[in-house]
Amino acid sequence: SVIFNYLICRIKNNACWTVILFKLDYRAVFIIIFKVNYILNILIMRPGNMPGMPELGVNIGQYVHPKMQSQLDTNLLKGLILSNCEALLPYLSSDDLYIGIAVDEDGRDVLIIKIPLVVDDVSRESKNVYYAFYRSQINELKFNFLIDDGL
């Protein structure tokens, strides 16, 4: 298979760019992007959105508030994420799942979720995927993600 540098730019939330640089086979890149988007959909989706799987969805928006430092139960949220991602468990490294809160330059709390995603079943190589969620000044849920390629 052909190895090359692959650049993907995704526009999220009005000109907020996530740039991902990979040195992988192009098919592997698309599989990783599929997995990352699948997890993002599960995080944002509310339970009951899919009639065939009514329990699927974390509804991350209910946990994201401008000042969530003292309110967030990270263990509860971690359990919810892992139980909702059961279909991806062969690809998730659950031991290193991290949930925390950072404060941005505007003083807003930002929920950070780091999920090590196994990208190669043979070598068990993983890449850290960072998801960030926060509320805008008009209380809209904003999000972005970054795949850390270790470059």
Side-chain angles (χ1 to χ4, degrees):
S1 64
V2 178
I3 304 295
F4 66 111
N5 287 337
Y6 192 85
L7 178 66
I8 299 174
C9 294
R10 291 186 56 102
I11 300 174
K12 290 282 184 187
N13 301 322
N14 302 328
C16 183
W17 292 78
T18 300
V19 179
I20 306 157
L21 181 64
F22 288 100
K23 291 181 180 175
L24 292 172
D25 180 288
Y26 71 93
R27 283 166 274 161
V29 171
F30 291 113
I31 291 170
I32 292 168
I33 294 299
F34 170 79
K35 293 174 187 177
V36 168
N37 283 320
Y38 181 82
I39 293 171
L40 181 62
N41 285 332
I42 288 173
L43 291 173
I44 293 173
M45 190 170 35
R46 293 180 178 148
N49 279 4
M50 293 183 67
M53 296 161 48
E55 69 286 344
L56 188 64
V58 172
N59 190 15
I60 200 76
Q62 72 180 349
Y63 301 98
V64 179
H65 304 284
K67 297 291 179 193
M68 64 185 131
Q69 284 274 4
S70 61
Q71 302 170 4
L72 187 66
D73 182 353
T74 57
N75 289 327
L76 173 74
L77 192 53
K78 184 187 261 191
L80 243 147
I81 291 168
L82 290 174
S83 69
N84 272 275
C85 292
E86 285 179 311
L88 282 180
L89 282 180
Y91 307 110
L92 287 179
S93 176
S94 61
D95 295 337
D96 296 325
L97 178 69
Y98 169 81
I99 298 173
I101 298 172
V103 179
D104 70 3
E105 61 276 355
D106 296 327
R108 288 182 298 224
D109 287 353
V110 179
L111 177 63
I112 306 292
I113 301 172
K114 180 190 86 165
I115 300 177
L117 191 63
V118 175
V119 295
D120 185 347
D121 292 332
V122 177
S123 70
R124 302 301 292 168
E125 176 191 0
S126 67
K127 302 212 177 292
N128 289 324
V129 181
Y130 295 89
Y131 296 93
F133 299 91
Y134 65 95
R135 293 277 176 185
S136 70
Q137 291 179 340
I138 58 172
N139 205 30
E140 290 178 322
L141 180 65
K142 300 287 186 175
F143 61 89
N144 210 337
F145 66 85
L146 170 74
I147 301 172
D148 181 11
D149 196 31
L151 296 175

